Amino acid sequence: MKLDRVELYNGTTIPAIGYGTWKAPRAEITIQAIEDAMMCGCNHIDSATRYGNQVYVGQGIAAGLKATGWKREDIFVTSKLWNTVRGYDETLEAFQQSIDDLGLDYVDLYLIHWPRPAIFHDEYIEKNAQTWRAMEKLYHDGKCKAIGISNFKVHHIEELMQTAEVKPMVNQLEFHPGCGVALKEDIEYCEKNQILVTGYSPLANGRIFDFPQVKEIADNLGVSVSQLCMKYAQQRNVIPIFKSVHKERILENLNLDFTISEEDMKLIDALEEPALLNDSDHITFGETTPPVF
């Protein structure tokens, strides 16, 4: 079994649920967890240079391909460019290092991780333009099937599009109950412009369990809070990206064969907490202090 896929505007398809690898633990656990995720049917692996574990992610993918009998084209792998790297040549070099670490010839999706790194704060628009030009080359050369952005607000996208020749295909955003109002403009903009949204931190980094109204809706549906948050994202046309190293929880998060009523969706939409963990306009983290992903 493999997950259903959603089509990007360029015709590339992306599986409807992603398995995240941020803060993945020791090498052997990461490798086993990715193999388990693939054995459970998850063929969408989300990684990033900043996570510092792409060598192990690549080994997990290799183990998963062997265990499932899938071919490389059966899976969808994302990587991201970290904030210490901007510029044309620098981006090409960083990408090559990323696929070398993963042990792959290409990635399916390559993203700019954050729009406004502290070290390029005063020239981030120009640096992002140079970086995007390199990503367009990687795309045209077939080194990535799709290119995109992460944590970009509307104005960041419009700044990028002043010089871009290829429109981003994906914008990865923090997405969970409680952030709907804060993200409304960004998500509507992406939908209008055929930019698919993928969503990280569907459980708000665990804070969602502090909100009894969410658990009440989940209990009424006979599902877990995690399943509810994952399904909530899907019903708002966002591809959720979850993380777990426990096989039973991986299976749980992939089992979303239920529907949240429109009434309950509106109740979840109305939540004002938990608020967003990060604000890409105001975060000042550098290369040693990562944000929450």
Side-chain angles (χ1 to χ4, degrees):
M1 181 196 79
K2 293 188 284 287
L3 297 171
D4 292 338
R5 286 178 174 252
V6 177
E7 188 171 326
L8 305 179
Y9 80 77
N10 72 333
T12 297
T13 58
I14 177 172
I17 300 173
Y19 180 80
T21 57
W22 176 59
K23 274 193 173 180
R26 296 192 309 275
E28 62 272 20
I29 296 177
T30 296
I31 294 167
Q32 186 62 57
I34 292 172
E35 180 181 348
D36 287 343
M38 292 173 66
M39 287 291 289
C40 291
C42 187
N43 53 338
H44 178 177
I45 309 298
D46 182 87
S47 72
T49 301
R50 183 62 183 90
Y51 303 166
N53 57 8
Q54 287 195 309
V55 170
Y56 309 127
V57 170
Q59 292 175 15
I61 290 171
L65 290 174
K66 182 177 180 180
T68 59
W70 294 346
K71 298 177 181 179
R72 167 63 183 91
E73 57 266 29
D74 292 325
I75 63 171
F76 190 99
V77 181
T78 299
S79 185
K80 310 181 192 79
L81 180 76
W82 184 238
N83 298 342
T84 54
V85 180
R86 286 295 187 276
Y88 185 83
D89 291 334
E90 295 88 343
T91 298
L92 297 180
E93 291 172 7
F95 174 84
Q96 187 61 49
Q97 185 62 59
S98 190
I99 61 171
D100 286 347
D101 288 346
L102 288 165
L104 301 174
D105 294 327
Y106 69 93
V107 294
D108 299 270
L109 176 63
Y110 197 48
L111 306 176
I112 298 178
H113 209 147
W114 288 84
R116 199 170 184 172
I119 61 174
F120 299 116
H121 188 274
D122 295 333
E123 52 181 354
Y124 80 91
I125 296 175
E126 178 185 350
K127 287 294 186 180
N128 282 346
Q130 296 169 8
T131 292
W132 191 253
R133 187 162 59 88
M135 294 177 71
E136 289 175 332
K137 175 176 172 53
L138 292 168
Y139 172 63
H140 289 310
D141 288 350
K143 290 292 187 179
C144 25
K145 304 298 183 184
I147 52 177
I149 50 184
S150 181
N151 301 295
F152 274 54
K153 295 183 177 183
V154 170
H155 74 89
H156 297 133
I157 301 173
E158 291 182 336
E159 289 159 0
L160 190 70
M161 289 308 299
Q162 290 173 9
T163 56
E165 295 181 0
V166 177
K167 182 174 62 177
M169 292 136 201
V170 171
N171 189 10
Q172 186 173 121
L173 300 171
E174 177 184 342
F175 188 84
H176 50 74
C179 69
V181 173
L183 290 179
K184 187 175 186 294
E185 180 185 6
D186 301 320
I187 290 176
E188 287 181 351
Y189 179 91
C190 287
E191 289 180 344
K192 180 181 178 182
N193 288 278
Q194 295 182 295
I195 301 171
L196 182 76
V197 176
T198 61
Y200 67 88
S201 295
L203 301 180
N205 209 31
R207 293 178 301 144
I208 198 66
F209 296 104
D210 295 332
F211 295 87
Q213 57 269 58
V214 176
K215 187 176 188 307
E216 182 179 351
I217 294 172
D219 287 345
N220 288 340
L221 285 168
V223 299
S224 69
V225 168
S226 181
Q227 286 174 303
L228 180 76
C229 293
M230 297 281 289
K231 191 65 176 182
Y232 169 68
Q234 284 192 332
Q235 289 187 210
R236 286 291 176 254
N237 299 318
V238 174
I239 290 181
I241 298 170
F242 76 97
K243 175 182 169 277
S244 177
V245 297
H246 303 287
K247 192 170 184 178
E248 65 277 10
R249 291 180 185 168
I250 292 172
L251 277 169
E252 176 184 286
N253 282 299
L254 296 176
N255 180 17
L256 303 181
D257 189 21
F258 63 96
T259 301
I260 306 172
S261 70
E262 191 54 40
E263 180 182 0
D264 283 341
M265 288 293 290
K266 289 178 180 178
L267 289 174
I268 298 171
D269 285 340
L271 293 173
E272 296 182 1
E273 293 288 344
L276 286 172
L277 293 156
N278 299 305
D279 183 336
S280 54
D281 270 329
H282 301 292
I283 281 177
T284 57
F285 56 82
E287 54 185 295
T288 58
T289 309
V292 174
F293 290 86

